Amino acid sequence: MSSTAETFSAPPLPARVAPPRLADRCYPLRYLGLLTACLILMKPILVDQDALLAPMVKAATAAVFTVLCLMHLARRVPLSPVFLVFVFYRLAFLPPTLYHGGDILNWGYASVAQVSLLLLIELQADVGPDARRRLLRVIADLLLAYLVINYLMILTGTHRTFTMDGQFAQPSYLLGIRTRVTDCIFTAALVSLLYDSVSPRRYGWRTILALALGALQIISLQVATAAVGAGIAAVFYFGARVRDGAIRTVFSMRGVTVFGLLVNLLVVGARVQLYFTTALGHLFGKSASLTGRTDLWDAAYPILAESPLLGHGINYEFGAFIPGANGLTWQAHNQYLQLMYDGGLAAVLLFLAMLWLASSSVDCSGVDPRARAAFVSVYAAMSVMMVTEIYTYNMALFYLIPFLAARAEQLTGGAVRGGKGAR
């Protein structure tokens, strides 16, 4: 006869609920820590104008750089080709800066900040889907906060007065003078679109807010360059969404690299805009000189010819080298001419190599079509706006394009759509 224990089995114990993972419980701390690091590495221009904050942020940048280097050594994260080329690109400015007695501290600080941002992206991209989504969310939120604060300053008339040796006074907001808002608008839209591409939503509130704030500030400040960039971004976004193979080849990252270089050569070198003088006047209120840009370019050529291979190095004043009114000096108001002055043909070629490698990373990857279109459209806008502006000095925002593109497939393709982190 069987025993009672054999006849009647004990009822099963209720399943224990697993405690939340430590990573989930620490999400706010991880978010704030990452936000602090990004805030230090991508500080708004207004911080540079504060005698107390500027040195504090520089010291914090050195600390962030040290921590990131130690983390990379500990985890042995493989570095992308874009990272290696970017390091050589920054080193290209060092010899002429030393030779011509330029600002070594400025070169060093900018290099450390920009390399740190790339190190941070490479590190987060290698950790896992949650870390990747968190990185995109943090950068998107930070840039949106900048745009909100900048717009509130515009609405309330809160600003500092920016001058060059007491001349050309104009209001300066959180992101700088009115044309500098362009730096943040397009990259904020890019990162917001990338974040939305890893979620079920087609366009989330971050993307809508970035586009709305960008449009409002372009209209409020009447930035013609940004208006042109917005139109180009829209054309290339929809062009990149077309499935046709031939069209996708043109509306690709590598296609934009060639397109942007060609536009620079046609406008700066061949002066093709002379054939569209009437259209420029009616549409944008601009002359064929593009508000005196052509005069600056003409003044730059003989200076660049003095040291075409290695350039003249980083000046004490950001890129100021062309004699201007009343003895002032001015920047070239063209990305490639300024790079050639700072680091010669060596820097220009390394810059193009970095862009080509980053473009190939997106074109040859299996990223979401929305993410691909976001990269292509913003990259196209910035590439054309480089004709009259410089985007490699302020807040490292332009560099977010190649830095994020270098890890595009991991940042956007490796995330689980609709997961917990996609909010």
Side-chain angles (χ1 to χ4, degrees):
M1 185 174 179
S2 302
S3 64
T4 303
E6 292 173 337
T7 304
F8 301 100
S9 60
L13 295 174
R16 296 182 62 185
V17 178
R21 292 185 304 129
L22 181 62
D24 292 335
R25 288 184 293 177
C26 293
Y27 185 88
L29 295 179
R30 290 173 178 267
Y31 178 91
L32 291 175
L34 194 56
L35 181 67
T36 302
C38 291
L39 177 62
I40 292 170
L41 300 179
M42 296 188 295
K43 67 185 187 310
I45 292 175
L46 191 62
V47 172
D48 284 327
Q49 300 173 1
D50 190 287
L52 179 62
L53 290 177
M56 293 174 60
V57 172
K58 290 180 180 179
T61 301
V64 171
F65 175 72
T66 303
V67 171
L68 289 173
C69 287
L70 292 175
M71 293 178 69
H72 270 265
L73 290 174
R75 298 182 183 179
R76 297 185 178 181
V77 177
L79 299 173
S80 67
V82 170
F83 179 89
L84 299 176
V85 173
F86 181 77
V87 170
F88 283 110
Y89 159 72
R90 288 303 306 178
L91 288 174
F93 300 112
L94 181 57
T97 303
L98 287 171
Y99 182 77
H100 292 282
D103 189 2
I104 295 296
L105 292 178
N106 177 22
W107 170 84
Y109 168 65
S111 298
V112 166
Q114 292 162 6
V115 170
S116 296
L117 181 60
L118 182 48
L119 281 172
L120 180 64
I121 292 172
E122 301 250 300
L123 188 67
Q124 293 295 116
D126 191 71
V127 173
D130 290 337
R132 297 164 195 163
R133 288 196 296 272
R134 187 183 305 116
L135 174 68
L136 293 176
R137 183 186 178 191
V138 164
I139 297 178
D141 290 350
L142 180 64
L143 298 186
L144 285 175
Y146 287 164
L147 289 177
V148 169
I149 295 171
N150 197 77
Y151 189 53
L152 290 176
M153 292 179 70
I154 294 170
L155 290 178
T156 60
T158 305
H159 60 80
R160 290 189 176 184
T161 301
F162 172 81
T163 63
M164 289 192 65
D165 295 338
Q167 302 182 58
F168 308 112
Q170 56 183 311
S172 179
Y173 307 100
L174 179 73
L175 298 171
I177 59 176
R178 67 183 188 87
T179 54
R180 291 270 63 93
V181 70
T182 307
D183 301 44
C184 193
I185 290 172
F186 292 90
T187 46
L190 169 64
V191 183
S192 296
L193 282 166
L194 292 180
Y195 183 77
D196 285 343
S197 73
V198 299
S199 72
R201 296 182 297 270
R202 188 175 182 86
Y203 301 107
W205 66 266
R206 289 178 177 83
T207 297
I208 296 172
L209 183 60
L211 296 175
L213 287 171
L216 287 171
Q217 295 187 63
I218 290 172
I219 295 171
S220 299
L221 299 175
Q222 299 181 353
V223 187
T225 302
V228 172
I232 292 171
V235 170
F236 274 81
Y237 183 83
F238 291 109
R241 294 303 304 272
V242 176
R243 301 291 182 180
D244 183 80
I247 294 178
R248 284 192 65 179
T249 301
V250 175
F251 292 96
S252 65
M253 288 283 283
R254 284 176 291 188
V256 170
T257 302
V258 175
F259 171 72
L261 184 59
L262 182 61
V263 170
N264 273 271
L265 291 174
L266 288 175
V267 175
V268 181
R271 304 291 165 86
V272 69
Q273 69 273 18
L274 294 174
Y275 298 101
F276 304 98
T277 302
T278 304
L280 287 171
H282 285 305
L283 293 176
F284 306 108
K286 297 283 185 180
S287 65
S289 69
L290 303 178
T291 320
R293 261 57 163 189
T294 55
D295 297 330
L296 295 175
W297 301 338
D298 290 338
Y301 292 144
I303 300 173
L304 299 177
E306 295 172 3
S307 183
L309 296 179
L310 297 177
H312 295 74
I314 304 296
N315 273 354
Y316 179 74
E317 298 180 36
F318 266 145
F321 69 95
I322 300 176
N326 302 321
L328 294 174
T329 52
W330 202 250
Q331 55 161 303
H333 268 289
N334 174 264
Q335 184 68 73
Y336 289 100
L337 291 183
Q338 191 67 52
L339 286 177
M340 191 166 178
Y341 174 82
D342 291 339
L345 282 173
V348 171
L349 293 176
L350 286 167
F351 180 73
L352 288 171
M354 175 188 66
L355 296 182
W356 187 261
L357 286 172
S359 300
S360 299
S361 296
V362 175
D363 292 341
C364 299
S365 67
V367 300
D368 185 273
R370 290 178 294 169
R372 186 189 305 276
F375 272 118
V376 170
S377 61
V378 173
Y379 183 39
M382 301 292 277
S383 296
V384 172
M385 292 188 296
M386 282 182 188
V387 172
T388 59
E389 300 295 339
I390 297 172
Y391 294 108
T392 57
Y393 284 153
N394 298 313
M395 299 170 61
L397 286 183
F398 170 81
Y399 290 122
L400 272 177
I401 300 174
F403 290 176
L404 294 173
R407 296 286 188 170
E409 190 163 28
Q410 289 171 287
L411 290 170
T412 61
V416 179
R417 286 171 174 76
K420 180 177 181 180
R423 61 180 185 269

